[in-house]
Amino acid sequence: MHTNSTTSTRTFRALAAALAAGLLAGCALVDDGSPEAAPDGGAGGPVTLTVGVFGVFGFEEAGLYDEYEKLYPDVTIEENAAPSNEEYYPKLRDALDSGRGLADIQAVEVGNIGEVVATRSDRLMDLATTTGVDEGAFLPWKWDQATTDENKTVGLGTDIGPMAVCYRKDLFRAAGLPTGREEVAALWFSDWEKYLGVGADYMANAPAGTAFVDSAAGVYNGSISSFPVRYFGREGEAIYQDSPAVEVSWDLAMQAAQGEMTARLKQFTPAWDGGFADGAFATVICPSWMLGYIQEKAGPEAADKWDIATAPKPANWGGSFLTVPEAGEHKEQAARLAAWLTAPEQQARLFEKRASFPSSQAAYELPQVADATHPYFNDAPTGEIFSIAAKSIPTLELGTQDQPIQQQIIDAGILPVEQRKLTPTQAWQAAERKIDELLDR
């Protein structure tokens, strides 16, 4: 996951250059009429490589572009950053279809990689044979997500979002529960039902005004993300109505909502942010990238109160890929840059500087990851906790509409039950209608 940001300094340089040439540029995409550069930035003359991203990937902030430019003085890198993936991805999709307006490297969010692989792999380079790319350095499930049935790998993994459970030690203690991270993890080991069992125990002795978990949507997301098959089958067919993963995860969310275990908050809203500051809930299912968010919203007053335990089952939430469009003028140079940015050493540095958890399993052996702890979370060994989770995550069958389907289940289904507006049956029917409309478009 990548935080939203305004266009970076490099973006302004790229836009200015494009406008000076009378080109249309914007939203992390560049016009196909940009001035030609020498074919080889390392040997044949200067070359400018453009990188299209959304939010903040951290490459520039961690100094990786500057380092690459020092290694290869003939290469200049310009990053164009759209504020959000919601703005970025539709324009990328259109640009891939037309072959116009593309950066040399284009990022793709994990929620969109299934659609890209299924419908636009012919418009992207096969990066598997690029110099510097080692398939074995990546987590197998991450590599598989960007690989077609014909074994063409169109994306190199950047970060991932392995999940854990962040919990308030002080609230657990007040409710008579263990507080040590190993003891806490043992309470719900291997079973999301056990997690809610702990929730029932917590609620029986909960400190006044607190709930066990932030939201039923968080419970749903944690559970569904641990299944390899969710909304689409292995042949690309929609199966959400008969999916065991959906049924199990929906039932868990309903159990949390109707059992009044949740704070009834919608994630990533001001009210949710306030819940962290107020200590309104004892647990939140947290991917690695959420730690900084929790620290910011909970504030320094809670610095000695949070810890991290292993989640009931390995699961992933978030992450991205770098792709190289076939329509680019500098494909080989761009592929080498993408390979370098996603190599283990650079991923480890990015984790150290920006807390982006590596998709390279080889990076887990490097000290920046292996020895990582987080002082805000009671010096939890974050490198160890999230590395173990990452290695056990199953390869997901990602369909073309995974993300929109899940959003409808949450917004039209789970939230109305949690807010006591609909019964579970009514809410599921409402979600089905929304999803059917989505799939019929």
Side-chain angles (χ1 to χ4, degrees):
M1 176 138 180
H2 307 282
T3 55
N4 292 346
S5 170
T6 55
T7 307
S8 68
T9 301
R10 289 180 183 270
T11 308
F12 286 117
R13 296 210 311 264
L15 291 173
L19 290 171
L23 305 174
L24 173 63
C27 299
L29 304 176
V30 298
D31 191 83
D32 63 327
S34 55
E36 287 190 17
D40 189 340
V47 62
T48 296
L49 298 177
T50 52
V51 182
V53 301
F54 50 91
V56 180
F57 269 59
F59 297 138
E60 182 171 12
E61 293 77 5
L64 296 185
Y65 292 154
D66 288 340
E67 181 174 342
Y68 194 83
E69 290 172 346
K70 289 177 183 177
L71 290 171
Y72 303 99
D74 285 344
V75 174
T76 299
I77 303 168
E78 294 181 344
E79 180 183 282
N80 305 324
S84 68
N85 190 49
E86 289 74 21
E87 178 179 327
Y88 169 89
Y89 181 65
K91 295 183 180 182
L92 172 60
R93 189 171 51 201
D94 292 344
L96 285 171
D97 289 344
S98 68
R100 298 172 60 85
L102 290 159
D104 295 303
I105 293 174
Q106 295 282 177
V108 177
E109 206 270 346
V110 66
N112 305 123
I113 195 65
E115 180 179 19
V116 168
V117 168
T119 63
R120 293 171 176 84
S121 61
D122 60 324
R123 296 167 175 82
L124 298 169
M125 282 188 69
D126 186 348
L127 299 175
T129 58
T130 299
T131 300
V133 172
D134 176 11
E135 176 181 349
F138 290 88
L139 291 162
W141 61 265
K142 183 73 171 181
W143 182 270
D144 289 348
Q145 285 180 332
T147 301
T148 70
D149 291 339
E150 293 75 33
N151 208 34
K152 179 180 181 180
T153 300
V154 299
L156 299 177
T158 56
D159 61 325
I160 56 174
M163 293 190 196
V165 177
C166 295
Y167 67 98
R168 286 277 299 247
K169 296 179 297 176
D170 57 326
L171 297 182
F172 267 47
R173 185 179 299 111
L177 295 173
T179 59
R181 64 180 69 97
E182 290 82 8
E183 295 173 286
V184 170
L187 294 175
W188 51 60
F189 176 71
S190 79
D191 192 344
W192 285 103
E193 285 277 4
K194 291 180 182 177
Y195 173 73
L196 293 187
V198 176
D201 292 342
Y202 177 88
M203 295 308 299
N205 298 286
T210 70
F212 175 64
V213 63
D214 65 316
S215 66
V219 174
Y220 178 86
N221 188 39
S223 172
I224 196 97
S225 298
S226 63
F227 284 87
V229 179
R230 306 185 297 183
Y231 307 116
F232 290 87
R234 300 192 185 279
E235 302 301 320
E237 72 280 15
I239 61 167
Y240 78 94
Q241 291 171 312
D242 302 308
S243 166
V246 173
E247 180 180 0
V248 168
S249 303
W250 174 268
D251 288 346
L252 287 168
M254 295 301 101
Q255 184 179 335
Q258 294 188 299
E260 299 187 349
M261 299 181 198
T262 82
R264 296 189 285 164
L265 297 170
K266 184 175 182 179
Q267 293 185 330
F268 302 103
T269 63
W272 190 60
D273 294 348
F276 284 110
D278 297 338
F281 43 86
T283 71
V284 60
I285 298 161
C286 55
S288 49
W289 49 261
M290 194 183 283
L291 302 187
Y293 191 96
I294 294 172
Q295 180 175 350
E296 176 187 348
K297 302 305 178 184
E301 298 80 5
D304 60 342
K305 297 176 181 177
W306 285 93
D307 209 326
I308 307 171
T310 303
K313 290 186 177 181
N316 183 73
W317 179 8
S320 296
F321 299 82
L322 297 183
T323 69
V324 177
E326 285 281 6
E329 294 184 25
H330 314 297
K331 294 187 296 183
E332 300 302 326
Q333 298 97 320
R336 288 196 292 272
L337 173 58
W340 187 85
L341 289 171
T342 57
E345 295 78 11
Q346 279 65 256
Q347 290 207 28
R349 284 181 55 197
L350 201 58
F351 173 67
E352 181 181 37
K353 299 286 187 180
R354 303 289 301 178
S356 298
F357 203 81
S359 64
S360 168
Q361 59 185 345
Y364 303 161
E365 308 303 320
L366 300 177
Q368 298 101 315
V369 182
D371 301 335
T373 60
H374 202 303
Y376 189 85
F377 292 86
N378 194 32
D379 290 320
T382 49
E384 177 185 353
I385 290 170
F386 290 116
S387 294
I388 292 172
K391 291 177 181 179
S392 302
I393 293 167
T395 299
L396 298 179
E397 291 292 332
L398 291 171
T400 58
Q401 299 283 347
D402 262 60
Q403 202 168 46
I405 287 176
Q406 178 152 324
Q407 201 61 52
Q408 293 299 339
I409 288 175
I410 290 172
D411 290 347
I414 294 172
L415 282 171
V417 174
E418 194 168 31
Q419 295 167 358
R420 301 172 186 169
K421 296 178 180 178
L422 296 176
T423 68
T425 299
Q426 291 169 332
W428 177 253
Q429 291 171 345
E432 275 189 314
R433 288 192 294 271
K434 291 287 189 180
I435 295 168
D436 289 343
E437 290 173 7
L438 178 73
L439 296 178
D440 287 341
R441 289 176 189 169

